[in-house]
Amino acid sequence: MSTVSVAITVNGKEHKAEIEPRTLLVQFLRDNLGLTGTHTGCDTSQCGACTVLVDGVSAKSCTVLAVQADGAEITTIEGLAPFGMLHPIQQAFWAEHGLQCGYCTPGMIMTTASLLARNPDPSEEEIRHELHGNLCRCTGYHTIVNAVRKSAELLAGGATALPIDQLAD
Ligand code: FES
Ligand code: FES
């Protein structure tokens, strides 16, 4: 089977690999790199569980071929904060109970990161519009919207990543 060479920077580290041309970016992240924080929900571009940042913009990694990401910079949920620490957006989801089972959460958080990078103070309508491609079966969305608002507040206030044990109730 023919393969192609790719060089993809993920969470600040370049990874060179020989892959089948049909390899999806989500497969590359999970299977080649072991970054299983990026979830696969539907595999058909509907649920958003696989959302990552591609050159800083949110993208559903089940709809991107790894070869299309050749030369790109990818950020996954693992890359938001150092291991054992929570990024302010993660802190906000914790504080506002923006998750239950957590399956959708990495995608929700990466979509939030993309939104707040270009719009640091979004309205509720803008938040709901941005999240329309991310499905959640548990929360009813209200706490997620609150978490995005809280994320904006924390980031505007200069919040930084914190160790997880500092957040425990
Ligand atoms: S797994 Fe990619 S959108 Fe559902
Ligand atoms: S928290 Fe369970 S799917 Fe969203």
Side-chain angles (χ1 to χ4, degrees), residues 1-6 17-23 32 67:
M1 190 166 302
S2 67
T3 60
V4 292
S5 303
V6 293
E18 294 288 324
I19 59 171
E20 291 183 33
R22 65 181 176 176
T23 304
N32 290 57
V67 294

Side-chain angles (χ1 to χ4, degrees), residues 9 16 26 36 41 44-45 56 60 73 76-78 94 97 101 103 106 123 135 142 150 152 156 160 162-163:
T9 299
K16 294 182 177 175
V26 67
T36 54
T44 53
S45 187
K60 293 177 177 176
E73 296 209 10
T76 70
I77 189 74
E78 292 92 343
W94 176 304
H97 306 287
C101 80
Y103 202 86
S123 65
L135 302 183
H142 296 297
K150 178 86 172 176
T160 56
L162 290 174

Side-chain angles (χ1 to χ4, degrees), residues 92-166:
F93 272 71
W94 176 304
E96 297 296 327
H97 306 287
L99 65 147
Q100 289 182 29
C101 80
Y103 202 86
C104 70
T105 309
M108 292 287 182
I109 287 175
M110 299 316 287
T111 298
T112 300
S114 179
L115 168 65
L116 297 181
R118 67 176 193 284
N119 181 358
D121 186 23
S123 65
E124 177 173 345
E125 186 181 357
E126 288 170 328
I127 293 170
R128 289 184 181 275
H129 177 77
E130 186 75 12
L131 294 179
H132 79 281
N134 291 75
L135 302 183
C136 177
R137 296 182 63 174
C138 304
T139 64
Y141 299 99
H142 296 297
T143 56
I144 292 176
V145 173
N146 291 342
V148 178
R149 277 215 199 95
K150 178 86 172 176
S151 300
E153 286 171 23
L154 289 178
L155 289 169
T160 56
L162 290 174
I164 289 173
D165 58 12
Q166 283 191 20

Side-chain angles (χ1 to χ4, degrees), residues 39-50 60-62:
H39 292 164
T40 306
C42 63
D43 241 351
T44 53
S45 187
Q46 296 175 66
C47 75
C50 64
K60 293 177 177 176
S61 60
C62 74

Side-chain angles (χ1 to χ4, degrees), residues 24-42:
L24 297 171
L25 180 57
V26 67
Q27 294 172 319
F28 180 77
L29 295 170
R30 289 179 58 86
D31 301 340
N32 290 57
L33 304 186
L35 294 171
T36 54
T38 301
H39 292 164
T40 306
C42 63

